[in-house]
Amino acid sequence: RIGIFGLSAAPSSAPAHGIRVDGPLQAAAPVVKTLQRKGCDVIVLLSQLSEEQNLHLLTGIPGIHFVLGSSDAPARAEPVRSGDGYSIAPGQGTHVAVLECLLEGRGPAFTHTGAKKTGEPPAHAQSQQSPAQPVRGRFSYQLTALDSTVASDPAVELMIET
């Protein structure tokens, strides 16, 4: 089971009547606990927070395995580990990240097997030394640049325009 949730930065103006805005730690903690209780093997945060806030969340809230952040960080070929999780920065609309995970155990964290190259076998076929502490599994990811070779989606284009 994969649990996915999202966070964005607080609005610059006062929220609309009936809308409550919490800080990222206060908002994420109960969501992560709920996803864990529901038996999620992998918890992914889709974030529009700053890279600093993403790393702080990974350290402050155990159980988030991956943060895919469309933040102030430029596209990065390697993940940044913080706590038991990883921050992956595909850039602000410049790249798409393809994350491939292999679940192997019940440990707290995943092991990064390295950046995936085109034509490379999947992460589960790669050899990896077993770490001293138990791991949840292994992962690799690949960044693909969004350029003119990637066809645009007319429905998404319409949403962007409106």
Side-chain angles (χ1 to χ4, degrees):
R1 293 184 184 193
I2 300 171
I4 301 172
F5 72 106
L7 291 174
S8 64
S12 56
S13 60
H17 178 72
I19 303 291
R20 187 179 91 205
V21 178
D22 289 331
L25 284 171
Q26 295 81 8
V31 174
V32 171
K33 282 187 177 31
T34 298
L35 293 172
Q36 289 171 324
R37 274 195 308 274
K38 291 186 179 224
C40 290
D41 299 300
V42 182
I43 297 178
V44 178
L45 165 59
L46 304 178
S47 172
Q48 288 193 318
L49 302 172
S50 71
E51 180 68 358
E52 181 181 336
Q53 289 173 306
N54 290 337
L55 296 173
H56 184 66
L57 277 167
L58 285 171
T59 321
I61 303 177
I64 301 173
H65 299 106
F66 303 101
V67 174
L68 298 175
S70 174
S71 68
D72 55 351
R76 204 179 35 237
E78 291 295 320
V80 173
R81 185 166 181 171
S82 183
D84 286 331
Y86 292 87
S87 176
I88 296 171
Q92 265 187 335
T94 60
H95 292 75
V96 65
V98 178
L99 179 65
E100 187 174 289
C101 298
L102 172 69
L103 292 170
E104 298 174 309
R106 300 300 305 163
F110 283 84
T111 300
H112 181 231
T113 59
K116 188 175 181 323
K117 310 281 191 287
T118 305
E120 190 174 79
H124 61 273
Q126 297 175 357
S127 62
Q128 176 73 22
Q129 299 246 351
S130 62
Q133 81 176 41
V135 296
R136 182 153 297 234
R138 293 177 271 162
F139 81 97
S140 65
Y141 80 96
Q142 163 184 337
L143 289 181
T144 301
L146 294 173
D147 57 23
S148 61
T149 62
V150 178
S152 60
D153 183 326
V156 172
E157 291 293 326
L158 181 61
M159 284 190 296
I160 291 171
E161 287 177 23
T162 57

